Amino acid sequence: MADPSTYRPAPGAIPTSPGVYKFRDAHGRVIYVGKAKSLRPRLSSYFQDLAGLHPRTATMVTTAASVEWTVVATEVEALQLEYSWIKEFDPRFNVKYRDDKSYPELAVTLNEEFPRVQVMRGAHRKGVRYFGPYGHAWAIRETVDLLLRVFPVRTCSNGVFKRATQVGRPCLLGYIGKCAAPCVGRITPEDHRALAEDFCDFMAGRTGNYLRRLEAEMQEAAADLEYEKAARLRDDIGALKRAMEKNAIVLADATDADLLAVAEDELEAAVQIFHVRGGRVRGQRGWVTDKVEDVDTAGLVEHALQQLYGGVGGAAEDRGEAVPREVLVPALPDPVEPVREWLGGLRGAQVDLRIPQRGDKKDLMATVQRNAQQALALHKTKRASDLTTRSRALQEITDALELDSVPLRIECFDISHLQGEDVVASMVVFEDGLARKSEYRRFEIKGFEGQDDVRSMHEVISRRFRRYLQERERTGEWAVPEEGPEDAADAAVDGAATAADADGTRAEDGRPRRFAYPPQLLVVDGGQPQVAAAQRALDELGIDDIALCGLAKRLEEVWLPGEDDPVVLPRSSEGLYLLQRVRDEAHRFAIGYQRGKRSKRLTAGELDSVPGLGETRRQALLKHFGSLKKLRAATVDELCAVPGIGRRTAETVAAALSSRTPAAPAVNTATGEIIEDGADEPAPAAPETAPIQETP
């Protein structure tokens, strides 16, 4: 725990301009990001007597070891920079809403030649129109199924569309009238795009004119005695009205607004948002978060607005769809003008940010508020039960293993291979009894070849905790033992690792380091041999403050270092259930990585091992020449004709292919026919064999 006076800036050193500030801990990690209209009074307020600070604020300033700031020109820039830094550094003392990208939306891909209607999740893409979000994907599909009768827009995947184009026959939806079948030329690209735009207009709430037009056409067809056409239009109108009835009318027609409500207590807050478009509730979403910083309702509203609209980007029309004309909130941020200006900049037009005072909008806000209160109550009910179970499990593990403290952070390691090939290891992390997937790590065994689980476990434990000691060495807390030949060359094979960050650390910029935190309990998948190997690795590194155990699969026995007899937990023990979940998760993660490596090795083509040739240029070469056979016969000049291939690369490719023996022709095992173009394939299919037991 640090004394805030040790890093307090000198008097007069803090500017009075608008800006954003960061608090860092002793390891350089950013733990809090804030903004201020004037930096000097805001930062000075953190260095008063600790007794006068909110308990959470006092915890933050005593955890921090330094503070820094960045001056900006306006409060709007400060708002934008604060959001960017919160996303980038993930500070532990800032309010964060975790699930804003999990809601399904109805998307129309107007950026394609033949726009497609589909369900999408995640960040918005440029050139795609979005409607929603919806609570469930099935709600989107029900709406689309009704509208396809009137707007038969393509809904198939690119693969299905390409296949139908090749065979000249549409899919089932084309036959039953729920797709205009652009794949076989039944409709021109221009007419299909117009159909997709009509679909978007209807979904955006512009329904009255379209329905009146259909009714006029129906009356005209009936007057001309075209009864079949009139009946079809009558059914279309009925389908559109049923789709509209799924969203109740709550506000006056053409009203576009987002209503945001907050329910909170001392520890947590729930946010509910209703998206109203064309006077109808088009979508709903909700968040629950821990109040890890001292923040009032206005502050929670500001954080929610940042989270809701901060990721909006792309074309102007996409931004306009995301930010409505009105945003109704229970409390206005302080100050409110920078937030209004920021929202207006995202929309490209003025945004009315206010508290509803009367009428239908106030009544609807009360409904949103009730939803927020119910969400918070439901969350607390679930969490109380879950928290009780997890606390009991951790306490049972503490008592059974005779630990000094409750293991709030548990790491588990598992080894996986296939008959001694593609040997890999996994590390999974559980904090407070819950999986923390951002901390998962994968390792490729590089110190030796072959099957040796014990030696593999020793290598992985050594590599993981050597990195931990390197982190402590940077802060002067520990001296790292000299590296051995295996440790000098090893590198964690992490999905997010790069060559510039191969050791998994970023000490300078404050981002969370990958191996910075030690566990209170280290679990290995296995019995006495694996536990002994892990203990030997810890001893060699001089680490004696981390508890260690192993969980054997045969009888679910818990093995401790140096003990001849295992610890047997009751089958109904919550502690045993937790250890099993940790072990099974490590096994799943390791198996997934091992299968991925094996699949990549089996499907690797001849071009994969050419140095300096990446995936994009490999695909360009194969697309240009059509097959490996023709690629082998190509001259250097012909290779240079491929876009992106220079002479040096062309010479490397030609030399690599000429030095290899062409693959044998493929044989059709069903007919015995020799497939002449078998060698043309980038990678022959793996032969079918009996299943092989994978060794975890």
Side-chain angles (χ1 to χ4, degrees), residues 641-692:
V642 180
I645 304 296
R647 176 158 292 273
R648 180 176 298 179
T649 302
E651 292 173 350
T652 303
V653 172
L657 293 179
S658 63
S659 63
R660 295 177 183 147
T661 303
V667 178
N668 187 322
T669 57
T671 65
E673 176 188 2
I674 296 178
I675 304 173
E676 295 294 339
D677 294 334
D680 293 354
E681 298 298 328
E688 294 187 2
T689 60
I692 301 174

Side-chain angles (χ1 to χ4, degrees), residues 4 77 228 311:
E77 290 184 20
E228 292 184 0

Side-chain angles (χ1 to χ4, degrees), residues 28-46:
R29 291 182 291 266
V30 176
I31 62 172
Y32 184 74
V33 173
K35 71 175 188 314
K37 181 178 180 180
S38 177
L39 286 169
R40 182 178 295 174
R42 175 62 59 84
L43 287 177
S44 298
S45 67
Y46 288 102

Side-chain angles (χ1 to χ4, degrees), residues 441 466-472 474 497-498 500-516:
R441 298 293 173 259
R466 183 172 297 278
R467 299 228 173 86
Y468 161 60
L469 296 183
Q470 288 171 353
E471 289 298 321
R472 300 195 67 175
R474 284 186 174 88
T498 63
D501 189 24
D503 65 350
T505 60
R506 288 186 178 179
E508 292 79 10
D509 60 9
R511 294 179 178 86
R513 297 171 180 136
R514 296 183 182 141
F515 293 97

Side-chain angles (χ1 to χ4, degrees), residues 510-575:
R511 294 179 178 86
R513 297 171 180 136
R514 296 183 182 141
F515 293 97
Y517 300 103
Q520 283 80 45
L521 176 61
L522 177 62
V523 181
V524 298
D525 183 15
Q528 280 181 306
Q530 286 80 6
V531 173
Q535 185 63 55
R536 187 169 68 255
L538 295 176
D539 293 341
E540 291 170 355
L541 295 173
I543 298 176
D544 57 4
D545 58 348
I546 295 176
L548 170 66
C549 74
L551 185 61
K553 291 187 181 66
R554 187 171 65 90
L555 297 175
E556 303 293 6
E557 304 161 331
V558 180
W559 291 91
L560 299 177
E563 298 291 337
D564 295 330
D565 298 318
V567 176
V568 179
L569 295 174
R571 287 289 179 177
S572 59
S573 167
E574 292 292 344

Side-chain angles (χ1 to χ4, degrees), residues 100 112 119 140 306 382 386 397 493 578 599 688:
D100 62 315
E112 298 181 354
V119 178
I140 302 178
Q306 284 181 313
K382 291 182 177 179
D386 185 50
I397 293 173
V493 183
L578 177 57
S599 176
E688 294 187 2

Side-chain angles (χ1 to χ4, degrees), residues 614-651:
E615 178 65 25
T616 301
R617 292 197 288 181
R618 284 200 300 269
Q619 294 297 330
L621 284 169
L622 291 172
K623 183 177 181 181
H624 182 83
F625 290 99
S627 67
L628 276 175
K629 179 190 289 184
K630 296 177 181 178
L631 182 57
R632 290 193 194 95
T635 64
V636 172
D637 291 336
E638 291 173 338
L639 292 172
C640 290
V642 180
I645 304 296
R647 176 158 292 273
R648 180 176 298 179
T649 302
E651 292 173 350

Side-chain angles (χ1 to χ4, degrees), residues 393-413 427-431 461 464-465 517-524 531 538 545-551 558-561 569 575 578-579 582:
L394 292 172
Q395 189 60 51
E396 288 180 4
I397 293 173
T398 304
D399 296 339
L401 304 185
E402 299 181 356
L403 304 180
D404 296 332
S405 60
V406 174
L408 298 181
R409 180 183 173 99
I410 301 174
E411 291 182 6
C412 183
F413 292 80
M427 174 186 118
V428 302
V429 178
F430 275 58
E431 290 188 351
I461 299 296
R464 184 267 181 267
F465 286 99
Y517 300 103
Q520 283 80 45
L521 176 61
L522 177 62
V523 181
V524 298
V531 173
L538 295 176
D545 58 348
I546 295 176
L548 170 66
C549 74
L551 185 61
V558 180
W559 291 91
L560 299 177
L569 295 174
L578 177 57
L579 289 177
V582 174

